[in-house]
Amino acid sequence: MALARRASARPVLAATPIDRLALPWWRARFAAKARELAAHPPGLVLYGDSIFQDFELTGPEPWRDFRPLWARYFVPYQAVDLGFKGDATSHLLWRVMHGEASGIDPKVAMVLIGANNFGRLDWSAEDTELGILAVIEALRARLPRTRLLLLGILPSGRGEKVAAKTATV
């Protein structure tokens, strides 16, 4: 997290590893994904929030059935979905630092994180940028041969304040 520290002398929660282990579903998903990574070395890893986790949805509405997309576009690359609904940069940083980037050597890792920094947490665009940088630095340190594809925060329709922060990042 050297970049995050150099850019700001004050503590930045968005760039601080924070777990969500108090949430039973989150703790169970983290453990299940650790087993999946150990059992099947990935060629592609998706690190992020609910936008990635949604690839595991199977409906019941046809517009929410993302599994065929996952099967067609990601399974051929031995992909592992490490999306966790509600995660902010701090949560992804914790996951990366606690095993989600250890003992693997994927060709590519996609990162999509930051949207939840603007919800209930209401962190600034500047702090969110520092959080994203911290995640990228942590991944780069643990996955030096992996190509990282950082995706921009997607627009969400959650109001002008969130839209402005998203655009700033």
Side-chain angles (χ1 to χ4, degrees), residues 26 29-31 33-34 37 42 45-48 81-84 87 91-92 94-104 139 142-143:
W26 196 91
R29 183 171 175 80
F30 181 73
K33 290 301 178 175
L37 286 169
V45 180
L46 280 67
Y47 290 102
D81 182 349
L82 298 178
F84 282 59
D87 269 12
H91 308 124
L92 177 54
W94 186 91
R95 291 191 285 123
V96 167
M97 296 175 81
H98 288 85
E100 285 192 353
S102 301
I104 60 173
L139 286 170
R142 288 159 179 79
L143 304 172

Side-chain angles (χ1 to χ4, degrees), residues 60-81:
E61 304 90 348
W63 60 269
R64 290 189 76 182
D65 189 9
F66 297 113
R67 292 303 274 173
L69 294 172
W70 179 260
R72 180 174 181 186
Y73 295 108
F74 295 98
V75 168
Y77 300 100
Q78 297 80 45
V80 173
D81 182 349

Side-chain angles (χ1 to χ4, degrees), residues 27-52:
R27 184 176 57 250
R29 183 171 175 80
F30 181 73
K33 290 301 178 175
R35 289 188 300 272
E36 184 179 350
L37 286 169
H40 306 288
L44 168 65
V45 180
L46 280 67
Y47 290 102
D49 54 30
S50 63
I51 296 167
F52 280 163

Side-chain angles (χ1 to χ4, degrees), residues 128-162:
T128 297
E129 288 175 7
L130 294 173
I132 293 168
L133 284 172
V135 167
I136 295 302
E137 281 188 342
L139 286 170
R140 179 57 54 226
R142 288 159 179 79
L143 304 172
R145 299 181 332 153
T146 300
R147 288 184 174 219
L148 299 179
L149 176 61
L150 176 60
L151 304 175
I153 300 172
L154 299 175
S156 64
R158 293 182 288 164
E160 291 180 29
K161 183 178 173 184
V162 171

